[in-house]
Amino acid sequence: MVVKEEDAATLLITRLILLEPGTIQTHPDMGVGIVSRFRHSNEIDVAKLSTRIKDQIAKYLPQFTLVNVQCELDNDK
């Protein structure tokens, strides 16, 4: 299966968000680490998460710097 255009961009950004820092030895800071850093936190800082995602995209996926990633917190779940 070949992923193209918007789907490819979405897939790359999603993988970057899910990637745990330290997984790739040549780029130890690569990855947002949303599960380990933000999932079980008592007080999730949405602004910090958004900034981390934007910084990671700028550094590792610069071709997608114009992509707007919006983070929202659903307190009901």
Side-chain angles (χ1 to χ4, degrees):
M1 180 174 167
V2 177
V3 182
K4 296 182 180 180
E5 300 173 17
E6 294 88 19
D7 291 337
T10 302
L11 183 62
L12 286 172
I13 293 170
T14 302
R15 287 179 177 174
L16 186 65
I17 292 171
L18 292 172
L19 183 68
E20 293 295 327
T23 303
I24 300 176
Q25 292 179 355
T26 56
H27 300 285
D29 189 45
M30 185 179 199
V32 173
I34 194 167
V35 174
S36 65
R37 292 185 178 192
F38 297 97
R39 184 176 183 190
H40 298 293
S41 177
N42 291 335
E43 294 182 22
I44 298 174
D45 187 352
V46 177
K48 185 177 177 182
L49 173 60
S50 181
T51 301
R52 176 83 177 154
I53 292 170
K54 288 177 186 177
D55 291 347
Q56 287 287 306
I57 290 172
K59 186 171 183 179
Y60 296 108
L61 299 173
Q63 66 272 31
F64 301 121
T65 53
L66 296 178
V67 172
N68 185 18
V69 177
Q70 183 177 354
C71 299
E72 294 180 8
L73 179 62
D74 185 358
N75 289 330
D76 294 336
K77 296 183 178 180

